[in-house]
Amino acid sequence: MGADGRASGSAALRPAPRADGKAPGAGAPAPGRPVPGPGPSTAVRCGPGLSSPDGIEAQTCVVTRGAETWARTYYRNTTGEVLDAVLSLMGPDDRSVRMTCAVGAEDEPGTCETPREPTRGNPAAYTAVAEFAERGGRGPLLLRSGSNSPE
């Protein structure tokens, strides 16, 4: 067996090429496998990408897929310090969800998400805000990023 789990070497069975030049089995699902259909659509509403002089870059979004809505922030931390990101999703009827994520100091892109919640009412009524600060809230707010549109 090869690394991809398929038979390899002289014992491998190779289907004969098709006369139309397409790969064998192209356009037909494998026997016994369901044909993938379109899944629920995803709507993502993001605010502008922001950066602070302290070295935080972030963009915060509200994501709706099917009957669920959640907040997501994309970030990069170039401060050299581990930080906290507090991400809040605010929805209709004064409902809110809050998540605290540890933001590593390794200058790599990352994400933080709130738990997914059942969508109540109009998805456009949801907003998200991410706030970045030193761990445990011991220092000043370094950046606040929202899902508001720049319009």
Side-chain angles (χ1 to χ4, degrees), residues 51-56 78-79 142-143:
S51 61
S52 75
D54 299 304
I56 302 293
T78 63
T79 66
L142 301 174
L143 181 67

Side-chain angles (χ1 to χ4, degrees), residues 99-128:
M99 183 77 186
T100 300
C101 298
V103 176
E106 50 280 336
D107 187 16
E108 292 293 326
T111 60
C112 174
E113 291 187 347
T114 64
R116 298 172 186 208
E117 293 286 316
T119 304
R120 291 175 174 82
N122 184 351
Y126 286 82
T127 58

Side-chain angles (χ1 to χ4, degrees), residues 58-61 71-75 85 87 110-113 130 132 145:
Q59 183 176 34
T60 301
C61 307
R72 177 185 297 152
T73 190
Y74 302 92
Y75 62 81
L87 179 60
T111 60
C112 174
E113 291 187 347
F132 295 83
S145 170

Side-chain angles (χ1 to χ4, degrees), residues 11-121:
L13 297 176
R14 298 191 197 319
R18 290 176 30 166
D20 62 3
K22 293 183 180 177
R33 299 195 98 171
V35 177
S41 64
T42 302
V44 181
R45 291 182 301 104
C46 298
L50 301 174
S51 61
S52 75
D54 299 304
I56 302 293
E57 300 170 4
Q59 183 176 34
T60 301
C61 307
V62 173
V63 183
T64 302
R65 173 181 276 161
E68 295 180 315
T69 299
W70 66 98
R72 177 185 297 152
T73 190
Y74 302 92
Y75 62 81
R76 179 176 225 125
N77 175 11
T78 63
T79 66
E81 302 292 328
V82 176
L83 304 174
D84 278 342
V86 177
L87 179 60
S88 301
L89 174 68
M90 291 141 305
D93 301 324
D94 295 324
R95 294 186 52 83
S96 64
V97 178
R98 190 167 121 170
M99 183 77 186
T100 300
C101 298
V103 176
E106 50 280 336
D107 187 16
E108 292 293 326
T111 60
C112 174
E113 291 187 347
T114 64
R116 298 172 186 208
E117 293 286 316
T119 304
R120 291 175 174 82

